[in-house]
Amino acid sequence: MRYVCIVLFLVLTITTGTAQTIIKGNVKDAQGNPIPLANIKVLNSDLGTATNKDGLFILEPPASAKTLIVSAIGYATQNVAIDNQSAINIT
């Protein structure tokens, strides 16, 4: 029984320490129009997604992630700080 408690404690500690946050956001141009198919990538990672036709995205980066890279054809690439935000609006 003691070993079961120790294992349970370790599993809970590990899963809590690697918690991820879901980030929802949108990407718009200077006029406020959505940018469909913009690429959203976590810096120094293979994790990423693309915006839908309305410029919306959802991403679940690791807790250690600090920056998103946003790129789209015809627009300048931007680095956006995550700063523990769960909603990010990019213009």
Side-chain angles (χ1 to χ4, degrees):
M1 181 66 177
R2 179 178 176 177
Y3 294 111
V4 172
C5 290
I6 292 172
V7 170
L8 182 60
F9 173 76
L10 290 174
V11 168
L12 291 174
T13 303
I14 291 170
T15 56
T16 302
T18 60
Q20 296 177 327
T21 301
I22 295 176
I23 297 176
K24 297 180 181 181
N26 63 50
V27 181
K28 296 182 178 182
D29 64 15
Q31 289 75 38
N33 300 312
I35 301 177
L37 302 177
N39 295 304
I40 315 295
K41 184 178 180 296
V42 176
L43 183 65
N44 299 324
S45 168
D46 291 332
L47 183 62
T49 190
T51 59
N52 66 11
K53 65 181 176 111
D54 299 316
L56 302 174
F57 69 91
I58 297 175
L59 187 63
E60 192 172 349
S64 61
K66 304 289 183 213
T67 305
L68 298 178
I69 302 170
V70 182
S71 62
I73 295 173
Y75 297 91
T77 299
Q78 294 184 41
N79 288 0
V80 178
I82 295 173
D83 294 331
N84 296 321
Q85 300 178 77
S86 60
I88 299 179
N89 299 313
I90 303 161
T91 306

